[in-house]
Amino acid sequence: KAGVTQTPRYLIKTRGQQVTLSCSPISGHRSVSWYQQTPGQGLQFLFEYFSETQRNKGNFPGRFSGRQFSNSRSEMNVSTLELGDSALYLCASSWDRGLTGELFFGEGSRLTVL
Amino acid sequence: EDKVVQSPLSLVVHEGDTVTLNCSYEVTNFRSLLWYKQEKKAPTFLFMLTSSGIEKKSGRLSSILDKKELFSILNITATQTGDSAVYLCAVDFQGGSEKLVFGKGTKLTVNP
């Protein structure tokens, strides 16, 4: 069974640019959530999608957005990049977060903003 | 504000030692507490705890939850170099804003 796949794995952008990250969940999983991980703040919740609907959103500015497609694949977008957006962005999937707390994480997309 | 605090932040031990990692939390509408191990990139699931006093075990790892005192511990006995990782504690809520709130992790280094 394939795991959670995130692309790209690494990317470098400059301030002001925008970036789109992609996540393919485990087959059959309908919930996809996104986390930002930095050395100072640890793992912070960005948002969660279930059946193409955003169910929950963390405390991040509107520059951070996402969506989920009918096949459960998800993308997140960060516009007008700032240096502080440099982080590891982790995607996690589960069958239904309402029934189980276990998440399956991808290996992340490492974003560097110069 | 919901909060999960892990201690210590880092720990260096020798192979064969036993370690105890701590996780305390202040959250509303607690549903479960989860432990994850992060070696390089993807955190991997270790345990989910929902009931007080019931120990979960997997090999040399074990964990227990105290819902009255709002904390959990993760024990690793006879540590091996392969146990070197960041151990993350997360608390799951029920109802309303469903998300996992993570602690900042404990970085464990096991030296040969």
Side-chain angles (χ1 to χ4, degrees), chain A residues 9-10 35 37 40-43 45 48 55-56 88 90 97-98 100-103 105-107 110, chain B residues 31-32 34 36 38 40-45 48 88 92-93 96-104:
Chain A
R9 294 288 309 280
Y10 303 91
Y35 290 82
Q37 188 174 33
Q41 298 299 318
L43 264 160
F45 172 76
E48 183 205 358
R55 287 205 293 196
N56 292 291
L88 179 67
L90 289 164
R97 279 271 289 111
T100 173
E102 180 181 353
L103 299 179
F105 284 87
E107 295 209 325
R110 170 75 63 184
Chain B
R31 174 162 58 190
S32 63
L34 299 96
Y36 285 84
Q38 186 175 25
K40 290 193 175 141
K41 293 287 174 64
T44 54
F45 173 78
M48 182 168 73
L88 297 164
D92 187 8
F93 302 84
S97 178
E98 294 190 7
K99 60 184 179 183
L100 286 182
V101 176
F102 281 84
K104 294 191 178 178

Side-chain angles (χ1 to χ4, degrees), chain A residues 39-58:
Chain A
Q41 298 299 318
L43 264 160
Q44 291 186 288
F45 172 76
L46 281 158
F47 26 66
E48 183 205 358
Y49 288 88
F50 181 83
S51 294
E52 302 179 65
T53 300
Q54 185 181 87
R55 287 205 293 196
N56 292 291
K57 191 177 192 308

Side-chain angles (χ1 to χ4, degrees), chain A residues 1-40:
Chain A
K1 192 174 185 181
V4 178
T5 304
Q6 291 188 244
T7 57
R9 294 288 309 280
Y10 303 91
L11 64 167
I12 300 173
K13 293 284 188 178
T14 56
R15 278 183 301 175
Q17 288 187 309
Q18 66 94 27
V19 66
T20 299
L21 309 178
S22 179
C23 172
S24 293
I26 290 172
S27 178
H29 284 190
R30 297 183 295 170
S31 170
V32 173
S33 51
W34 289 88
Y35 290 82
Q36 181 195 65
Q37 188 174 33
T38 59

Side-chain angles (χ1 to χ4, degrees), chain B residues 8 11-22 55 57 59-63 73-80 83 87 108-111:
Chain B
L11 189 56
V12 180
V13 301
H14 292 289
E15 268 192 317
D17 288 350
T18 293
V19 298
T20 298
L21 311 182
N22 303 290
E55 186 182 48
K57 289 197 73 167
R60 296 175 293 102
L61 278 68
S62 64
S63 184
I73 59 172
L74 174 68
N75 280 319
I76 308 175
T77 60
T79 53
Q80 302 171 356
D83 295 328
Y87 290 84
L108 174 64
T109 302
V110 182
N111 290 324

Side-chain angles (χ1 to χ4, degrees), chain A residues 39-83:
Chain A
Q41 298 299 318
L43 264 160
Q44 291 186 288
F45 172 76
L46 281 158
F47 26 66
E48 183 205 358
Y49 288 88
F50 181 83
S51 294
E52 302 179 65
T53 300
Q54 185 181 87
R55 287 205 293 196
N56 292 291
K57 191 177 192 308
N59 296 325
F60 279 81
R63 300 185 296 107
F64 292 81
S65 62
R67 58 179 176 169
Q68 186 180 34
F69 302 95
S70 58
N71 62 358
S72 293
R73 190 177 71 85
S74 177
E75 289 182 346
M76 67 163 281
N77 183 276
V78 188
S79 62
T80 320
L81 284 166
E82 301 177 359
L83 296 179

